[in-house]
């Protein structure tokens, strides 16, 4: 499980390197990984950024994740 989250963090970082401005899903999954590793400030920052990129709230999991943080 921990290896999966490490891989998730690595892949989301790569995705954000390719498209840092418009990638709400990558920011969401990066926040999930940060929360798993107890990097709460990073998780909050990525969660807020993902929510800003999703004004129509299609990715409703962002709000659940932010509530957990």
């Amino acid at each position: 499980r921990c290896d999966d989250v490490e891989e998730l963090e690595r892949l989301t970082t790569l995705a954000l390197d390719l498209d840092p401005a418009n990638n709400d899903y990558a920011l969401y999954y990066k926040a999930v990984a940060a929360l798993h590793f107890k990097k709460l400030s990073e998780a909050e920052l990525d969660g807020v950024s993902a929510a800003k990129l999703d004004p129509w709230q299609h990715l409703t999991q962002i709000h659940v994740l932010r509530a957990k943080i």
Side-chain angles (χ1 to χ4, degrees):
R1 167 125 176 129
C2 188
D3 291 340
D4 292 341
V5 178
E6 288 174 355
E7 183 71 5
L8 175 67
E9 186 175 39
R10 187 183 74 75
L11 291 173
T12 56
T13 301
L14 288 173
L16 289 168
D17 286 344
L18 293 173
D19 184 12
N22 299 312
N23 207 333
D24 54 340
Y25 283 93
L27 285 165
Y28 167 74
Y29 285 113
K30 190 168 183 257
V32 169
L35 180 61
H36 177 80
F37 291 120
K38 305 213 184 325
K39 301 176 187 174
L40 300 181
S41 60
E42 182 180 328
E44 177 66 20
L45 179 66
D46 291 335
V48 168
S49 298
K52 286 180 182 176
L53 289 175
D54 187 30
W56 298 103
Q57 300 180 358
H58 293 191
L59 187 59
T60 57
Q61 300 93 325
I62 292 171
H63 304 292
V64 174
L65 174 71
R66 290 185 62 208
K68 289 180 182 180
I69 297 169

